[in-house]
């Protein structure tokens, strides 16, 4: 993460609005979150301002959302941000920025799902609706590509986490990964996928899912990466409920790849959570617990079935 040299403050956000979208400049404004790529500020009751602040890719990801979110299947069963205004780079702030609708709720890394059946149904309905064939011009990305492209990253991440004592059963986790990476590749049409359904990008209320945010990795490809979310978002035993509710029923190869994507995402969350626990740059302590829970579920699956 490379934070922008410009400090993002309430005064800066209000000045940007006054320069380019003055009709919004006097609405109440408060910091909502400092995410991986962007800061998000709530604007009034119904809008949000998102500004790149921490990665070189953030500007391009915001432009992608502005261009492609309106092309997704509509309506989706869970609320998602809808782009309303695009802010262009200026002398005051040299990056694009985006005004979207505000999606209420608490990120699942801070308020985990507790209602297993309702959440499994909600996640399955959302992904069933989202996973539709994308146009040939849709963006592509690693999250929709072959799982084997992640092999070096995953193997190193597992070895590092195991060496720090963060993975109680690395052999079981490796068995899940080896099974996943040898599964047949996706041969269906390139489907719309969110690409980054980790708990910080899914919102909850009253113990169940209530919204999905941060579509910066939106792309077309293999849906297995999104199906991995069942292992990290849902309570113990709920993945099977999700798989039964999702349509079309996922084939065994897709479920194998989904478990591999879940391993990759959990390892990333464990490392980021550990960095946050120790106050290191880029760390987010709240990412650790759901990642550990996902890896525990995956290891239990391996011990029982692989």
């Amino acid at each position: 993460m490379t934070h922008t040299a410009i400090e993002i403050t309430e005064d800066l956000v209000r000045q940007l609005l006054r320069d380019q979208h003055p009709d919004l400049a006097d609405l109440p404004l408060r910091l909502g979150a400092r995410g991986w790529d962007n800061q998000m500020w709530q604007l009034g009751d119904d809008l949000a301002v998102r500004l790149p602040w921490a990665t070189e890719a953030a500007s391009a990801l915001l432009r992608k959302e502005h261009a492609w979110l309106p092309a997704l299947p509509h309506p989706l069963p869970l609320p998602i941000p809808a782009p309303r205004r695009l802010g262009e780079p200026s002398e005051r702030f040299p990056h694009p920025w985006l005004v979207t609708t505000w999606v209420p709720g608490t990120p699942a890394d801070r308020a985990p799902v507790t209602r297993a059946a309702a959440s499994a149904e909600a996640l399955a309905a959302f992904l069933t609706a989202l996973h539709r064939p994308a146009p040939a011009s849709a963006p592509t990305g690693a999250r929709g590509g072959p799982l084997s492209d992640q092999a070096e990253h995953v193997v190193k991440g597992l070895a590092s986490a195991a060496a720090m004592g963060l993975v109680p059963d690395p052999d079981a986790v490796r068995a899940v990964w080896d099974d996943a990476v040898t599964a047949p590749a996706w041969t269906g049409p390139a489907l719309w996928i969110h690409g980054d359904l980790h708990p910080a990008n899914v919102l909850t209320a009253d113990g169940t899912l209530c919204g999905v945010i941060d579509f910066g990795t939106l792309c077309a490809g293999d849906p297995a990466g999104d199906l991995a979310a069942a292992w990290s978002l849902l309570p113990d035993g709920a993945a099977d409920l999700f798989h039964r509710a999702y349509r079309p029923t996922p084939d065994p190869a897709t479920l194998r790849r989904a478990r591999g994507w879940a391993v990759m995402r959990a390892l990333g969350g464990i490392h980021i959570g550990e960095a946050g626990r120790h106050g290191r740059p880029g760390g987010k302590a709240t990412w650790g617990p759901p990642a550990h829970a996902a890896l525990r579920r995956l290891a239990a699956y391996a011990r029982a079935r692989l």
Side-chain angles (χ1 to χ4, degrees):
M1 300 178 74
T2 305
H3 295 133
T4 177
I6 298 175
E7 182 182 5
I8 298 175
T9 63
E10 178 181 345
D11 182 64
L12 173 63
V13 177
R14 207 173 286 288
Q15 288 296 330
L16 292 173
L17 289 166
R18 190 164 288 118
D19 289 345
Q20 299 190 35
H21 301 284
D23 58 313
L24 304 178
D26 294 325
L27 291 173
L29 186 67
R30 68 174 183 87
L31 178 63
R34 291 185 174 94
W36 188 260
D37 297 293
N38 305 293
Q39 284 193 26
M40 182 168 63
W41 292 70
Q42 184 174 4
L43 181 64
D45 294 329
D46 304 317
L47 297 173
V49 184
R50 297 179 63 211
L51 306 98
W53 83 299
T55 65
E56 293 182 0
S59 294
L61 298 180
L62 277 187
R63 287 196 182 277
K64 184 208 290 188
E65 290 190 53
H66 180 259
W68 286 103
L69 278 177
L72 293 183
H74 181 80
L76 291 170
L78 292 173
I80 68 171
R84 290 292 182 254
R85 311 279 183 91
L86 179 65
E88 294 292 352
S90 64
E91 291 185 6
R92 198 182 299 277
F93 188 71
H95 308 283
W97 45 279
L98 194 60
V99 178
T100 71
T101 53
W102 173 262
V103 181
T106 304
D109 62 319
R110 298 177 181 274
V113 166
T114 55
R115 295 167 55 195
S119 296
E121 292 282 348
L123 181 62
F126 177 79
L127 291 180
T128 294
L130 176 64
H131 290 168
R132 294 288 183 259
S137 58
T140 58
R143 302 295 175 88
L147 184 62
S148 58
D149 290 352
Q150 311 300 321
E152 181 179 0
H153 172 72
V154 170
V155 170
K156 288 182 178 179
L158 176 56
S160 175
M164 290 188 287
L166 301 176
V167 181
D169 193 345
D171 290 340
V173 174
R174 182 60 187 261
V176 174
W177 172 254
D178 289 344
D179 178 66
V181 82
T182 57
W186 175 251
T187 57
L191 305 181
W192 279 121
I193 62 171
H194 179 282
D196 202 20
L197 282 176
H198 61 73
N201 287 339
V202 178
L203 306 179
T204 67
D206 299 322
T208 190
L209 309 185
C210 68
V212 178
I213 59 174
D214 197 348
F215 283 74
T217 52
L218 175 72
C219 64
D222 178 4
D226 279 359
L227 301 187
W231 295 97
S232 60
L233 290 173
L234 303 178
D236 292 359
D240 287 343
L241 298 176
F242 166 80
H243 295 145
R244 288 197 291 271
Y246 175 82
R247 293 292 180 271
T249 300
D251 62 87
T254 297
L255 291 179
R256 290 167 65 189
R257 295 192 307 277
R259 290 191 291 271
W261 283 106
V263 166
M264 186 201 79
R265 196 156 292 146
L267 289 171
I270 284 172
H271 282 289
I272 292 168
E274 188 69 4
R277 240 177 29 94
H278 294 283
R280 294 196 293 268
K284 295 181 180 293
T286 58
W287 287 31
H292 282 285
L295 221 55
R296 175 178 51 78
R297 295 178 194 118
L298 291 159
Y301 176 92
R303 290 191 294 268
R305 306 188 194 183
L306 296 181

